[in-house]
Amino acid sequence: MVASCKDQLKQVAICLQRSPCVMIERHTPKECVEVPELHNELPDLCKAQLATFLECKRGIVDMRKRIRGNGTLSTGKYDEQYSKLSEGNFDPREEMKKLKTLDSNQKQ
């Protein structure tokens, strides 16, 4: 994967892991994205981050962006959060609170 999309991918993964679809209903992140009924229930923040990631992926094959670059390189900003969620080292209630806070900030 191109380095410029790694941060966006990790953002989406973190958001999906925190979403009620995965935490409460126990669906896989793939199911939450692909099944229309589940996708409609995702928080707006996750939908926006998914759209950003997909736009980044489209930019990889866009010839106009190949010359000037698709974006900044990965900063590693989300590496620690991603590894904690991947390994299961988290408190589900705390993660749900974080998602609600981030989602409410987006709506304002």
Side-chain angles (χ1 to χ4, degrees), residues 4-5 7-9 11-12 44-59 65 70 106:
S4 63
C5 295
D7 281 345
Q8 287 89 347
L9 175 63
Q11 278 182 325
V12 171
D44 292 335
L45 179 64
C46 294
K47 291 179 186 177
Q49 289 176 345
L50 182 62
T52 303
F53 171 68
L54 293 175
E55 187 61 35
C56 181
K57 293 293 281 185
R58 279 187 211 102
K65 291 186 178 183
N70 192 24
Q106 286 292 110

Side-chain angles (χ1 to χ4, degrees), residues 2-43:
V2 175
S4 63
C5 295
K6 284 184 181 177
D7 281 345
Q8 287 89 347
L9 175 63
K10 287 184 180 177
Q11 278 182 325
V12 171
I14 290 168
C15 192
L16 286 174
Q17 286 293 335
R18 289 178 176 166
S19 71
C21 182
V22 174
M23 293 281 256
I24 296 172
E25 298 171 15
R26 307 305 290 169
H27 295 287
T28 64
K30 183 177 181 179
E31 290 172 345
C32 294
V33 172
E34 290 181 350
V35 177
E37 295 84 27
L38 298 176
H39 182 75
N40 290 338
E41 295 175 6
L42 283 176

Side-chain angles (χ1 to χ4, degrees), residues 64-100:
R64 293 172 291 174
K65 291 186 178 183
R66 280 192 170 188
I67 294 171
R68 64 176 185 223
N70 192 24
T72 59
L73 294 176
S74 177
T75 60
K77 180 178 178 181
Y78 302 100
D79 290 346
E80 185 178 339
Q81 275 182 320
Y82 181 74
S83 65
K84 281 183 180 180
L85 284 171
S86 298
E87 295 167 0
N89 298 332
F90 63 93
D91 178 21
R93 289 183 181 92
E94 192 65 35
E95 295 301 323
M96 290 292 288
K97 286 180 189 176
K98 288 179 186 176
L99 180 64
K100 286 179 184 177

